[in-house]
Amino acid sequence: MTEIVVATRNQGKLREFRAVLGPENFKILSLDDIAFSGEIAEDGADYLENARKKSRSVAKACGKIVLADDSGIEIDALDGKPGVHSARFGGADLDSTARNEIVLKLLQSVQHPKRTARFRCVLSISLPDGRKYNCEGICEGHIAIRPKGKNGFGYDPIFLAAETGKTMAELGPEEKNRISHRAMALRKAVQECLMFF
Ligand code: IMP
């Protein structure tokens, strides 16, 4: 079984990585499993820069195949914001509920067809010998009028996924993993790269 370290401390993301890659016969290790205690600043100009920085630093430290993602939500009525700054939008110390409230307030005067948004996930895979690979997944949808659902994490309660008519937080894990930006990017990574290791 091929071991892959996933360079995240976000438990929601970790669960999704395990759910998609576990059945493909990969053993997923977390940063805690490899006792990586370093902090990697996500100060890159775009998703790829951040994802690559994370995967490269951890691969150098542990000598294993490392997968990192950088992701975010892009809201058209806010000119694509919060985008790469999604994790800290509105203030680094806010929780997801408060962050979602800020987004809903900013969109108060924006009516339905104009509430379009997408989740984007960029994955970077780094090997200890310096080889690297990246791919992207996108999930299109709309921002809801109010939060709904208890599953998932982050912006899931306010994101209506296009094909479902439900917020991401109303979907079960299997449904989210069928359509999400992260699952799409991961399936590409398996087919185009990880299955050859
Ligand atoms: P980062 O990739 O660690 O910089 O964090 C990206 C941020 O985007 C997360 O903290 C969430 O707020 C948001 N995000 C990314 N993917 C998802 C998702 O699948 N659901 C909800 N929020 C997400």
Side-chain angles (χ1 to χ4, degrees):
M1 200 182 264
T2 310
E3 282 188 344
I4 299 179
V5 175
V6 173
T8 184
R9 294 206 157 82
N10 178 322
Q11 295 304 314
K13 286 187 184 179
L14 251 182
R15 269 195 298 278
E16 292 178 14
F17 282 117
R18 288 212 159 97
V20 177
L21 293 179
E24 303 281 347
N25 237 11
F26 294 103
K27 182 174 179 197
I28 301 304
L29 301 175
S30 68
L31 290 177
D32 292 335
D33 292 329
I34 59 159
F36 183 90
S37 56
E39 283 299 324
I40 304 161
E42 296 189 19
D43 51 6
D46 56 33
Y47 300 105
L48 181 57
E49 209 178 301
N50 281 336
R52 197 160 268 170
K53 192 172 168 192
K54 287 186 266 189
S55 66
R56 195 187 290 139
S57 329
V58 178
K60 264 193 192 159
C62 72
K64 295 180 188 292
I65 301 170
V66 178
L67 178 70
D69 93 320
D70 199 54
S71 47
I73 191 165
E74 300 168 355
I75 301 170
D76 293 325
L78 303 179
D79 297 324
K81 291 193 188 79
V84 74
H85 304 296
S86 293
R88 296 165 296 280
F89 189 59
D93 49 346
L94 294 183
D95 64 11
S96 296
T97 308
R99 232 181 279 289
N100 288 339
E101 285 304 326
I102 290 179
V103 170
L104 293 179
K105 223 171 191 164
L106 287 171
L107 292 190
Q108 235 166 13
S109 60
V110 181
Q111 304 306 317
H112 173 62
K114 299 226 164 110
R115 294 172 74 95
T116 47
R118 69 206 50 77
F119 275 125
R120 190 185 300 274
C121 170
V122 173
L123 288 180
S124 165
I125 295 157
S126 290
L127 277 72
D129 63 10
R131 275 181 290 163
K132 56 185 192 286
Y133 174 83
N134 60 274
C135 61
E136 183 176 281
I138 292 173
C139 178
E140 297 283 348
H142 287 85
I143 301 300
I145 298 295
R146 61 188 68 82
K148 226 173 167 189
K150 297 264 177 262
N151 301 327
F153 64 97
Y155 298 93
D156 281 342
I158 60 164
F159 183 81
L160 289 161
E163 313 153 31
T164 66
K166 294 180 181 171
T167 70
M168 280 287 207
E170 292 180 286
L171 303 180
E174 279 179 17
E175 268 178 299
K176 180 173 177 186
N177 289 334
R178 198 171 54 75
I179 59 163
S180 86
H181 48 310
R182 189 164 300 100
M184 275 186 204
L186 274 173
R187 282 193 284 269
K188 271 192 214 167
V190 170
Q191 279 159 20
E192 295 171 15
C193 160
L194 294 174
M195 67 188 285
F196 303 110
F197 297 144

